[in-house]
Amino acid sequence: MSNSSLALTRRKLLAGAAGLALTTPMLNRAWAAEPTQINMLAWYGHAEPDIVAEFEAANNVKFVPKYYAGGDNMLALIAQSPPGTYDLILSDAEFVQQLNAAGYIEEMDASLYPFDEFFPEYQNFPGHWTGDQLWSVMVRFGLLGVSYNSDVLSRAEAMSYNAFWNPKLTGKVGHFDWHLPNLGQMALLLGNRNPSPFDISQDAWDAVQEKTLSLKPQVGGYFDYGGTFSGLKNGEMLAMAGIGDWITGVLQKDGAPVASVIPEEGGIQFTESYSIGKGTSKHDIVNKFIQYMLSPEGQVKTIQMAAYPGLSPTKSGWKAIQAANPAEAERSGLIEGHDQSPVKLLKEGRIFFRDIPRQQNLEDWNDFWSEYKTA
Amino acid sequence: MRKLSLYPFVWRIPLMVWQGLFFVGPLLLMVAMSFWLVQNYRMQPDFNFTNWERMLTRGYFWDAYWVTLWRASLTAVLASLIAFPASYGLAFHLSATARRWAIFCLIVPFFTSYLVRIYAWQVLLAESGPLNALFGNAGFGPFTMLNSGFGALVGYLTLVLPLVVILQTFSLSSIDRNLIEAAWNLGASPRETLLRVIVPAAKVGLIIGAVFAFILSFGDFVAPFYLGGSKPPTLSILIIDTTKSGQQWPRAAVVAIMMIVTLFVVAFAAVGAAYRKRK
């Protein structure tokens, strides 16, 4: 009788212990607050662990990214979603005005961000401000010039967009398949620098089309992000128009003999900026994340982002990358006085912000690009 | 008076519902969408012929149309010609068991994503790839195969060839052997037996195989983009370009409708030819 009672007690004890063990994770989970979800609309890579994991762990948040491929795609995704769907929007700078005009983003409090740390050239970025109202904060940028296979072309040869017509590259010049950077580079080659390669007269636009068509015999293909990578990596394309270090920087890390330079005619800058989505209720944590990304720590992360590298607009970001990874700082010109320093190039008037066409309809540029591809 | 039978009608209902929900409905929506307009990246319902006028008056649309038509036709012809000897061998020179294994082997490629197979071709066809290395050892090349019409064709054949072989094999296997023996007994040469007995008897399967090859390659995006380098763009690439820039889904719908109309015309003409009785 007593044995039976003892056995029963032991069984109960074991069952109780097992039950406790099994429910412990649930209890732990219940004790911890559910992470706050931040819905981010961005280019691929901006909500990947190499960028956000530490912030997520430190602040008990979880980023839920929706990645887009191009500004038009981004605008369409917002247009088709209810207000408040996206808490944080990473946009190309030329689309910020359209985001603002459509009422998709909220005004930002400039006092919350370290604008004093920005190089003066980037403090009042065009389109980010209307008067004193701030709509977007620049977090990183990149330069588009001549990307080339360094086994075939020397740096000196690549220092002009005329390199694309080099007989050594016949059939081996690739295009990143987007009209804006490609046609902007053609406009620069023809000397359209004042005020911008995207603000050109009809005559200049006709000349750009003619010059672009003359490149056709050199062209080996038109590629998306993946195709551009593989084309340059396997040597199928020996030069690429419309891109820059954001592609070749990744390939260089893999040991591919490729490089990018800003040629004498000038380069084009793409700019990525954070805006706060209209209707969000998570202003505090979103602002905290933007501050984190603009801090030296965040800038080091974004400069070395695994998906594609970028450049820092802040002085503290430059110092941080020089200390954390001197080789990367040297490679990407994030050293004051470096011959490919983006600030130096900007001061010399060799960098132009990517924009939408100012004197032509965007459809005209797009139509010409389709014609060029089938020519 | 013909009596309405409920039993077969009930069995047809799932098919009709399926086709209505997943083919006729979306098709009608797409036709309606082709008349809509895009304002501020949002589609606005309308009844406007602007999209049709804009697309059909553009030279690049017709360039892409003829390229797509030519490549799909070439693929259908080449796939049929390349597949036929293999199908003939499978149908007439293998035992039933061996044929089943061969058919299984032809199905196996479909277990792997088409995109993955295309990426494998990218490696093989590259100028620094193994094929050019082999040619180089033999004293030829290197040849530009990737980002060319040839590359796209390799991709199309990767997609359609196993299917065409399977369809042709089924068709050839079902030919009454007595007809072939009768042709031999009547003194027909192997060539005459092939052209006047086997091919006419397998006509339906051969044409259906070619039609499938045409349809699949006409609408394919992967091969012309990843192996053809979008050079020149086909209609499927044009659809992507049109939606990418300005979110012009209505104009993309115009391209898609033109593709569907072409496929209907080709498919009906081919099926008509396949089942046409000899006079």
Side-chain angles (χ1 to χ4, degrees):
Chain A
M1 182 82 182
S2 63
N3 278 351
S4 167
S5 169
L6 183 65
L8 190 64
T9 304
R10 187 183 294 156
R11 195 172 296 154
K12 277 181 181 169
L13 182 69
L14 287 171
L20 190 65
L22 286 169
T23 53
T24 300
M26 307 295 175
L27 289 171
N28 281 341
R29 196 169 298 172
W31 290 334
E34 279 292 313
T36 303
Q37 186 172 303
I38 300 177
N39 295 303
M40 183 199 275
L41 185 62
W43 281 100
Y44 176 74
H46 285 270
E48 293 303 296
D50 62 305
I51 299 293
V52 300
E54 283 178 29
F55 185 84
E56 284 182 331
N59 294 280
N60 194 33
V61 295
K62 177 74 190 160
F63 281 87
V64 179
K66 174 73 180 173
Y67 291 130
Y68 61 77
D72 287 351
N73 183 215
M74 173 202 67
L75 286 166
L77 284 168
I78 301 176
Q80 291 152 14
S81 309
T85 300
Y86 300 108
D87 304 302
L88 181 61
I89 298 166
L90 179 116
S91 142
D92 287 321
E94 64 265 37
F95 289 94
V96 170
Q97 284 178 27
Q98 294 184 60
L99 284 170
N100 188 14
Y104 296 144
I105 52 178
E106 294 194 356
E107 186 182 345
M108 301 168 84
D109 181 352
S111 68
L112 295 176
Y113 313 110
F115 279 107
D116 290 346
E117 280 299 323
F118 278 59
F119 286 99
E121 291 78 5
Y122 303 122
Q123 282 174 346
N124 288 296
F125 200 82
H128 286 188
W129 298 80
T130 48
D132 291 337
Q133 291 179 297
L134 175 68
W135 300 99
S136 197
V137 178
M138 179 178 182
V139 66
R140 72 205 294 261
F141 65 99
L143 304 180
L144 312 173
V146 173
S147 298
Y148 62 100
N149 187 310
S150 49
D151 286 346
V152 177
L153 222 57
S154 68
R155 191 171 186 276
E157 285 174 310
M159 282 303 285
S160 167
Y161 290 114
N162 282 316
F164 294 138
W165 281 262
N166 189 320
K168 284 193 282 187
L169 304 181
T170 300
K172 298 291 178 189
V173 175
H175 279 293
F176 183 63
D177 193 2
W178 189 21
H179 54 85
L180 279 185
N182 285 285
L183 297 177
Q185 290 184 339
M186 293 298 156
L188 279 176
L189 173 59
L190 295 179
N192 296 289
R193 299 155 71 108
N194 193 13
S196 142
F198 299 95
D199 192 352
I200 58 175
S201 67
Q202 189 56 40
D203 286 347
W205 169 233
D206 291 341
V208 165
Q209 293 177 70
E210 194 181 334
K211 186 69 181 171
T212 308
L213 283 167
S214 75
L215 183 60
K216 186 74 186 180
Q218 296 287 98
V219 174
Y222 308 84
F223 304 97
D224 65 356
Y225 181 72
T228 303
F229 264 104
S230 57
L232 278 173
K233 188 170 184 179
N234 61 25
E236 207 61 32
M237 292 298 122
L238 300 176
M240 192 72 74
I243 63 161
D245 187 64
W246 69 281
I247 294 267
T248 54
V250 179
L251 291 171
Q252 276 178 344
K253 285 179 189 168
D254 282 352
V258 292
S260 294
V261 289
I262 301 305
E264 296 298 339
E265 296 92 351
I268 290 166
Q269 175 176 321
F270 72 84
T271 310
E272 295 179 339
S273 313
Y274 282 127
S275 296
I276 298 177
K278 186 151 235 167
T280 181
S281 57
K282 299 162 192 163
H283 298 87
D284 290 346
I285 192 66
V286 167
N287 275 320
K288 192 174 180 185
F289 177 69
I290 297 173
Q291 288 162 353
Y292 169 74
M293 288 308 298
L294 290 171
S295 71
E297 184 188 0
Q299 287 293 291
V300 167
K301 283 187 187 301
T302 200
I303 289 166
Q304 304 180 99
M305 192 168 90
Y308 59 103
L311 301 172
S312 168
T314 69
K315 290 175 263 186
S316 55
W318 286 37
K319 281 188 191 133
I321 192 68
Q322 287 164 15
N325 189 345
E328 178 61 22
E330 169 68 27
R331 196 193 65 78
S332 51
L334 295 177
I335 298 169
E336 289 185 66
H338 192 285
D339 77 325
Q340 289 282 307
S341 152
V343 173
K344 177 173 171 281
L345 293 169
L346 191 63
K347 281 179 181 163
E348 288 172 358
R350 287 173 58 198
I351 296 296
F352 300 87
F353 301 142
R354 194 177 63 203
D355 203 351
I356 51 176
R358 291 292 159 189
Q359 296 189 43
Q360 291 79 37
N361 199 322
L362 185 62
E363 280 189 358
D364 294 338
W365 281 45
N366 189 45
D367 268 2
F368 169 69
W369 189 246
S370 294
E371 279 163 24
Y372 172 60
K373 283 167 71 177
T374 55
Chain B
M1 191 176 146
R2 197 178 162 197
K3 192 179 167 186
L4 183 67
S5 173
L6 191 63
Y7 183 77
F9 180 73
V10 168
W11 280 104
R12 281 180 212 147
I13 286 176
L15 181 65
M16 285 158 54
V17 170
W18 179 272
Q19 289 287 63
L21 279 179
F22 297 110
F23 179 65
V24 179
L27 185 64
L28 292 176
L29 178 66
M30 193 167 65
V31 172
M33 193 195 291
S34 71
F35 297 101
W36 294 4
L37 294 178
V38 173
Q39 285 164 351
N40 293 329
Y41 299 92
R42 268 192 201 145
M43 282 190 287
Q44 308 287 345
D46 204 330
F47 189 71
N48 195 308
F49 285 86
T50 308
N51 301 316
W52 285 89
E53 187 193 346
R54 187 170 181 92
M55 293 312 292
L56 299 188
T57 54
R58 289 291 183 276
Y60 62 77
F61 169 81
W62 291 108
D63 289 341
Y65 184 87
W66 294 119
V67 164
T68 312
L69 196 67
W70 159 246
R71 285 187 174 178
S73 306
L74 184 64
T75 304
V77 171
L78 282 179
S80 299
L81 291 176
I82 295 169
F84 189 80
S87 310
Y88 186 91
L90 291 175
F92 296 119
H93 295 292
L94 286 188
S95 67
T97 307
R99 186 158 57 238
R100 275 197 295 275
W101 277 107
I103 297 287
F104 174 74
C105 290
L106 284 165
I107 293 170
V108 165
F110 293 103
F111 294 178
T112 312
S113 157
Y114 172 46
L115 193 58
V116 171
R117 284 180 279 155
I118 291 299
Y119 274 124
W121 273 117
Q122 272 195 341
V123 175
L124 291 170
L125 296 179
E127 279 202 25
S128 54
L131 283 178
N132 264 318
L134 280 176
F135 293 140
N137 286 338
F140 303 110
F143 299 107
T144 299
M145 296 182 281
L146 200 57
N147 302 315
S148 66
F150 174 78
L153 195 60
V154 169
Y156 291 136
L157 290 173
T158 303
L159 176 67
V160 306
L161 200 53
L163 183 66
V164 176
V165 174
I166 291 169
L167 289 170
Q168 286 190 356
T169 304
F170 285 145
S171 184
L172 291 169
S173 303
S174 62
I175 294 175
D176 185 350
R177 297 293 199 274
N178 291 328
L179 292 175
I180 299 167
E181 284 176 18
W184 289 341
N185 290 340
L186 290 169
S189 67
R191 185 170 169 275
E192 282 176 315
T193 308
L194 177 71
L195 295 179
R196 299 181 66 179
V197 178
I198 295 174
V199 170
K203 186 175 75 171
V204 173
L206 300 181
I207 290 179
I208 296 296
V211 168
F212 266 101
F214 182 89
I215 290 172
L216 290 174
S217 46
F218 191 79
D220 185 35
F221 165 77
V222 173
F225 192 80
Y226 289 104
L227 296 181
S230 299
K231 202 180 67 161
T234 57
L235 288 176
S236 50
I237 293 172
L238 190 58
I239 287 180
I240 300 285
D241 287 352
T242 311
T243 55
K244 251 190 341 192
S245 182
Q247 295 295 301
Q248 282 292 350
W249 291 94
R251 288 180 196 165
V254 171
V255 180
I257 291 166
M258 290 298 288
M259 291 177 78
I260 291 171
V261 169
T262 305
L263 289 176
F264 266 117
V265 169
V266 170
F268 277 113
V271 171
Y275 287 99
R276 190 178 300 135
K277 293 242 178 343
R278 292 177 79 181
K279 289 180 181 169

